[in-house]
Amino acid sequence: MFVFHTVRSIMQAKKAEGILHSTYINEGWLTYWTLTVWESEQHMKNYRNNGNHLNAMKVSRRIANELEKVNFEGEKIPSWKEAQGILHEHYGRQDNDKVIQAR
């Protein structure tokens, strides 16, 4: 069920107003990571609070055992390695150097 909502959210992001970059990775069937870059925080919030993504967030709270997110601002689109480092730092984890091929 979560995969269904993840795919629909990814499709929504790719068509959203203000999207600059959208990609995802998966670790097997149960873990998905998304990386989106927006023109502005307001564009990101419009996406986050509507449509398939909003539905996915409602469902994920019931079916996922872990949800993590981090927002940050920068001058360039981060690589997956950089994004994972920021996420690990935010949640106080050590980076395990595992980078999965992005799609």
Side-chain angles (χ1 to χ4, degrees), residues 39-96:
E39 287 179 23
S40 70
E41 183 177 6
Q42 189 58 49
H43 283 105
M44 181 273 298
K45 287 181 178 180
N46 288 342
Y47 161 75
R48 181 194 69 190
N49 296 335
N50 290 286
N52 294 320
H53 187 268
L54 179 61
N55 292 335
M57 290 291 83
K58 289 176 182 177
V59 169
S60 66
R61 289 186 185 113
R62 292 192 315 263
I63 64 174
N65 62 355
E66 251 186 292
L67 296 171
E68 298 177 340
K69 67 141 184 105
V70 64
N71 297 332
F72 61 94
E73 293 185 21
E75 296 296 317
K76 66 180 183 83
I77 297 172
S79 69
W80 269 107
K81 180 70 177 157
E82 292 166 325
Q84 286 175 320
I86 292 166
L87 186 71
H88 288 309
E89 182 178 319
H90 181 79
Y91 285 96
R93 276 192 246 110
Q94 289 194 1
D95 191 352
N96 64 4

Side-chain angles (χ1 to χ4, degrees), residues 28-42:
W29 285 98
L30 300 177
T31 303
Y32 281 80
W33 302 96
T34 60
L35 172 64
T36 56
V37 179
W38 300 91
E39 287 179 23
S40 70
E41 183 177 6
Q42 189 58 49

